[in-house]
Amino acid sequence: MLENYFPVLLFIIIALLIGVLPLALGGLIGPNRPDDKKNSPYECGFEAFEDARMKFDVRFYLVAILFILFDLEIAFLFPWAIVLKEIGTFGFVSMMIFLAILVVGFIYEWMKGALEWE
């Protein structure tokens, strides 16, 4: 019974070797010459001028969430476009209703000023 699982075990061992062996060899053979520049935090070429835990404006998060929301809803259009001939009129009408709801939501957010940065 266990001999049926030998290929799986072999696959796991080879995968671990492929993943761990290059890292171990790089750590052992690679040069290690740390200095102050290499160990300093990278901040786009200049010294940090504020705390890394500074607060972001809530509008940044709102725009990001709205982008993800509308982007994911638009992703539903691709499968619909591929099977448009098979789903017929019912599928077309249901997608137009979906798009109408999407447009109403977009206009609502636009009128509320959620997409305004300043």
Side-chain angles (χ1 to χ4, degrees), residues 12-28:
I12 291 172
I13 291 171
I14 291 174
L16 286 173
L17 284 175
I18 289 174
V20 173
L21 192 64
L23 290 173
L25 286 175
L28 293 174

Side-chain angles (χ1 to χ4, degrees), residues 56-71 105-106 108-118:
F56 284 99
D57 192 2
V58 73
R59 289 176 291 193
F60 172 78
Y61 296 110
L62 183 61
V63 170
I65 289 172
L66 289 174
F67 171 76
I68 291 171
L69 178 71
F70 286 111
D71 190 46
F106 182 70
Y108 175 78
E109 293 298 330
W110 193 354
M111 293 299 167
K112 283 292 206 177
L115 301 175
E116 300 285 329
W117 192 254
E118 292 185 28

Side-chain angles (χ1 to χ4, degrees), residues 1-86:
M1 174 82 177
L2 289 177
E3 62 268 2
N4 293 336
Y5 291 105
F6 180 71
V8 176
L9 179 65
L10 188 64
F11 179 77
I12 291 172
I13 291 171
I14 291 174
L16 286 173
L17 284 175
I18 289 174
V20 173
L21 192 64
L23 290 173
L25 286 175
L28 293 174
I29 299 172
N32 187 12
R33 295 184 295 268
D35 62 3
D36 291 338
K37 294 278 187 194
K38 285 184 181 178
N39 291 332
S40 67
Y42 180 70
E43 285 285 337
C44 300
F46 53 85
E47 293 295 323
F49 52 89
E50 286 189 29
D51 187 19
R53 294 176 295 273
M54 67 182 189
K55 293 181 180 180
F56 284 99
D57 192 2
V58 73
R59 289 176 291 193
F60 172 78
Y61 296 110
L62 183 61
V63 170
I65 289 172
L66 289 174
F67 171 76
I68 291 171
L69 178 71
F70 286 111
D71 190 46
L72 288 176
E73 288 176 351
I74 293 299
F76 288 122
L77 290 176
F78 292 108
W80 171 77
I82 291 172
V83 295
L84 182 58
K85 290 182 182 177
E86 288 86 18

